[in-house]
Amino acid sequence: MDIVICRDAEQAGVVAAELIVKKLGGNPAPVLGLATGSSPLGLYAHLKHMQSTGEVDLSRARGFALDEYVAIDYEHPESYHNVIRRTVVEPLGLDPELIQVPDGAADDVALASVLYEKAIQVAGGIDLQILGIGANGHIGFNEPFSSFGSRTRAVPLTAQTRADNARFFDSPDQVPTHAITQGLATIRESRATLLIATGEHKASAIGRMIEGPVAVAHPASILQFHPDLTVVVDEAAGARLVDGEHFLRL
Ligand code: F6R
């Protein structure tokens, strides 16, 4: 596990993007796992810059979004279909035909989830998974007490997650109650994972993920078993880390 503590959120985005490009190692057609939310925005912005300078070319990358709300209209600006298109596909010059988002609008979300998991397998698995973390320790929408063996499936969102995401909607009751998410086992099988977190509201979740016991009460703690995990945080999100001498401080 590599832990990088940056001065601020801006530096974290730059460092995370550079580490991703290094991890991809020139692979012209990598399979990416794509997070939405606020955390990776700086990272995506710097990847866009690197794309414009020719430092990386993601035009042949395939991508699988981590999650999508259930029963949301895809035209809604906060559907992850739209968010992924707006914040990732268009700015990074990805081919929309190669990018998939779980089908949260399907009549049968259980079947849609199984098919999504299958599509990841058929693509050969995820080379590099980009993650954020919820204040409650969720990754994807794997809320506390999700099974470590879980696969892509529909899940209920906790009250805390719905409250955290209310900022994206006109009113809290518009936040969907369920989502389809890649499972913890799905995420763990990614060949490399980079998790980015910034801000003091993430400090407790980051401390428990890295230095706490591995427990389903804190789903991100499963990443302690990941063979190739990089965590990039700013000072505020890293503030609860005790064993600082083992971490790279920029
Ligand atoms: C997003 C996702 C979530 C977020 C997490 C943090 O696709 O799966 O796990 O990464 O909720 O959200 P932000 O970054 O908005 O604080």
Side-chain angles (χ1 to χ4, degrees), residues 71-87:
I72 194 168
D73 182 350
Y74 289 163
E75 297 307 312
H76 191 291
E78 295 305 328
S79 80
Y80 287 173
H81 277 73
N82 252 325
V83 173
I84 287 284
R85 179 185 51 71
R86 192 171 65 236
T87 63

Side-chain angles (χ1 to χ4, degrees), residues 78-220:
E78 295 305 328
S79 80
Y80 287 173
H81 277 73
N82 252 325
V83 173
I84 287 284
R85 179 185 51 71
R86 192 171 65 236
T87 63
V88 188
V89 175
E90 290 177 355
L92 300 190
L94 305 188
D95 179 350
E97 297 288 316
L98 301 179
I99 308 303
Q100 296 195 45
V101 180
D103 188 4
D107 290 335
D108 186 342
V109 287
L111 177 62
S113 302
V114 170
L115 293 176
Y116 197 73
E117 182 80 23
K118 191 81 194 156
I120 293 173
Q121 284 169 13
V122 169
I126 290 175
D127 292 312
L128 193 138
Q129 175 69 58
I130 298 167
L131 290 179
I133 185 172
N136 65 359
H138 74 210
I139 49 175
F141 277 131
N142 294 283
E143 302 283 30
F145 302 99
S146 295
S147 164
F148 284 161
S150 55
R151 298 277 164 190
T152 304
R153 70 209 183 286
V155 293
L157 301 178
T158 61
Q160 180 178 350
T161 295
R162 294 188 68 225
D164 286 347
N165 286 6
R167 67 191 192 280
F168 296 118
F169 292 82
D170 290 337
S171 68
D173 59 327
Q174 285 183 11
V175 184
T177 57
H178 290 72
I180 295 180
T181 180
Q182 289 185 32
L184 291 173
T186 320
I187 293 169
R188 187 181 159 189
E189 282 170 9
S190 59
R191 281 182 273 283
T193 291
L194 183 136
L195 185 147
I196 183 165
T198 57
E200 64 181 340
H201 61 302
K202 298 292 173 72
S204 166
I206 288 292
R208 289 179 68 190
M209 175 184 100
I210 294 172
E211 295 182 336
V214 175
V216 287
H218 199 68

